[in-house]
Amino acid sequence: TETVAAMLAADKLLLESRIARGAVQLKWKEFGLHHLNLTTVGTQAAVMAGFSITALIEFAPSPDANRALLFLFWTSNMVSLACNILCVATTTMLSVYGSSLSTRGADGSMVRAVDGLYALRRRVFALFWAGVVSVLVASVFGVWILFGGPEATFLTVVLVATIAALIRAKIHVASLFRFAKDEATALGDLRRVAGPRV
């Protein structure tokens, strides 16, 4: 009977080990998903920051340009640059620290890393969208500084339509892929079964 008990205990340990391994693999996939999403947003924010830097270097208004329009242009451009740089820095820090925690941390670090990435995603997306909209707003003021009159009016309509289309697209895509919190896959239950190693 001792041999049978020892075999049962060994089987139990093996089963717990397999469950823990499977739970870690699931969390690793979830981490990879969030990591890829945030890295993609950070890359696009870097491109948008490049547009703002280019405007700083290349934009050369005439000396008699309207000072109020110039102020609004540079303010919008600086807001875009600041938001995009913050977005790039945030995604970089999340990538470095999150990867380090998930692979080298103590028991339970994988869950902490995944939860951290998920919790900060809204801030990253908000910074990105603020940067995109700000660069378009700066463009509106830029066309009024450079052209004025009917040309600027036409270009403003184009830019405002672009902003409206972006907002509609964001709302539409978000509604297509929205799901209730209770519909989400709950991997937290696995931790009770797998133990603290997840």
Side-chain angles (χ1 to χ4, degrees):
T1 59
E2 289 181 11
T3 307
V4 174
M7 288 176 62
L8 287 174
D11 285 346
K12 180 183 176 189
L13 285 173
L14 181 61
L15 180 60
E16 287 175 353
S17 175
R18 285 180 179 162
I19 291 171
R21 182 174 176 224
V24 169
Q25 287 174 338
L26 283 173
K27 283 312 248 183
W28 181 251
K29 286 181 181 180
E30 188 179 357
F31 178 86
L33 170 70
H34 296 316
H35 184 268
L36 178 62
N37 289 344
L38 294 174
T39 302
T40 301
V41 173
T43 301
Q44 299 310 312
V47 172
M48 298 303 297
F51 293 155
S52 299
I53 294 289
T54 302
L56 279 174
I57 297 167
E58 299 293 331
F59 190 71
S62 64
D64 59 339
N66 184 302
R67 288 185 60 80
L69 286 175
L70 282 170
F71 174 76
L72 292 170
F73 171 81
W74 290 118
T75 300
S76 302
N77 194 58
M78 289 301 104
V79 168
S80 178
L81 179 61
C83 288
N84 285 309
I85 292 294
L86 283 169
C87 185
V88 170
T90 303
T91 55
T92 302
M93 287 185 285
L94 286 172
S95 176
V96 172
Y97 289 112
S99 298
S100 179
L101 175 65
S102 67
T103 56
R104 297 172 48 211
D107 285 350
S109 294
M110 180 65 75
V111 171
R112 279 182 53 211
V114 170
D115 290 347
L117 291 182
Y118 189 74
L120 290 172
R121 80 194 190 291
R122 288 185 191 273
R123 182 183 304 175
V124 169
F125 295 154
L127 286 169
F128 176 73
W129 281 108
V132 170
V133 171
S134 296
V135 82
L136 289 169
V137 170
S139 300
V140 169
F141 296 124
V143 297
W144 282 97
I145 292 166
L146 293 175
F147 299 108
E151 298 94 344
T153 302
F154 172 75
L155 294 172
T156 298
V157 168
V158 170
L159 290 166
V160 169
T162 302
I163 293 171
L166 273 174
I167 293 169
R168 277 197 311 272
K170 196 241 182 252
I171 292 169
H172 178 66
V173 170
S175 68
L176 274 177
F177 296 101
R178 181 176 293 124
F179 56 89
K181 193 172 184 177
D182 59 345
E183 295 174 329
T185 303
L187 296 177
D189 295 340
L190 291 174
R191 193 148 182 218
R192 285 198 300 271
V193 179
R197 289 169 284 185
V198 180

